[in-house]
């Protein structure tokens, strides 16, 4: 049986979101899922073509802005046809920004939905570094995605 393939694309300025993407990669591997993880400036949305599930891990810049290096990817994503493809989004941010906390993560949910993809896990919001309770939320996130995949591969 072919292993399900999850692809993670992330943007990280301080290394925190990169660390979150590494935790996700580890958790997916433990769940018996094949993973490819790339920094967003290294790939375009075609990277998701052969993925069984698409994951975005992003920070939010300033007053709710997308990371500069994610803008092109984001624009391409809204025009892509990902009909029915499972996706999930993880955001990192700082609560000092109030209403803009993790806004980019929610913008990506909208972009995926525009592309016809199917949200299979609750969006995870992490403040700064991933602490123990965040890692628990990431485990739950991975479990939700992995369960969807085992149902569709089986």
């Amino acid at each position: 049986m072919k292993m399900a393939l999850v692809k993670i694309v992330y943007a990280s300025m301080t290394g925190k979101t990169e660390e979150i993407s590494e935790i996700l990669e580890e958790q997916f591997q433990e769940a018996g899922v094949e993973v490819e993880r790339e920094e967003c400036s290294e790939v375009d949305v075609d990277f998701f073509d052969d993925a069984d599930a698409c994951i975005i891990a992003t920070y939010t810049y300033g007053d709710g802005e997308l990371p500069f290096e994610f803008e092109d990817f984001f624009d391409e994503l809204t025009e892509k046809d990902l009909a029915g493809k499972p996706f999930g989004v993880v955001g990192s941010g700082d609560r000092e920004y109030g209403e803009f906390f993790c806004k980019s993560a929610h913008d990506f949910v909208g972009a995926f939905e525009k592309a016809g993809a199917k949200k299979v896990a609750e969006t995870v919001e992490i403040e700064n570094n991933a602490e123990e309770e965040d890692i628990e939320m990431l485990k739950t996130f991975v479990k939700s995605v992995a369960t969807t995949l085992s149902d569709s591969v089986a």
Side-chain angles (χ1 to χ4, degrees):
M1 191 180 93
K2 178 181 144 328
M3 266 170 81
L5 173 63
V6 168
K7 290 195 170 183
I8 302 170
V9 179
Y10 71 92
S12 192
M13 189 161 60
T14 57
K16 293 175 189 143
T17 315
E18 182 172 14
E19 190 189 342
I20 291 165
S21 74
E22 286 166 359
I23 294 168
L24 287 169
E25 180 176 34
E26 233 162 77
Q27 296 296 334
F28 276 117
Q29 286 167 340
E30 280 176 27
V33 176
E34 198 182 326
V35 188
E36 286 179 30
R37 184 176 61 86
E38 292 286 350
E39 205 271 319
C40 66
S41 57
E42 301 291 317
V43 292
D44 62 21
V45 288
D46 294 344
F47 179 66
F48 283 152
D49 285 354
D50 61 345
D52 295 306
C54 314
I55 310 295
I56 292 282
T58 183
Y59 65 94
T60 298
Y61 188 73
D63 294 336
E65 282 132 55
L66 280 173
F68 172 75
E69 64 274 27
F70 237 149
E71 286 175 0
D72 291 346
F73 192 98
F74 182 89
D75 292 341
E76 287 176 33
L77 184 62
T78 59
E79 292 163 16
K80 185 103 178 124
D81 177 12
L82 294 174
K85 199 173 280 237
F87 80 89
V89 181
V90 176
S92 68
D94 189 329
R95 289 199 186 275
E96 281 181 18
Y97 287 97
E99 64 184 305
F100 299 122
F101 179 65
C102 289
K103 182 176 181 299
S104 290
H106 299 288
D107 290 343
F108 264 108
V109 169
F112 269 121
E113 286 172 345
K114 214 177 213 175
K118 188 173 92 203
K119 187 176 174 188
V120 293
E122 279 309 305
T123 302
V124 177
E125 298 178 346
I126 295 175
E127 183 165 26
N128 299 319
N129 291 333
E131 308 287 340
E132 224 161 281
E133 71 233 34
D134 299 315
I135 292 170
E136 286 311 307
M137 288 195 306
L138 291 172
K139 283 182 178 169
T140 304
F141 175 90
V142 166
K143 210 171 278 172
S144 302
V145 176
T147 305
T148 310
L149 293 176
S150 60
D151 291 348
S152 63
V153 176

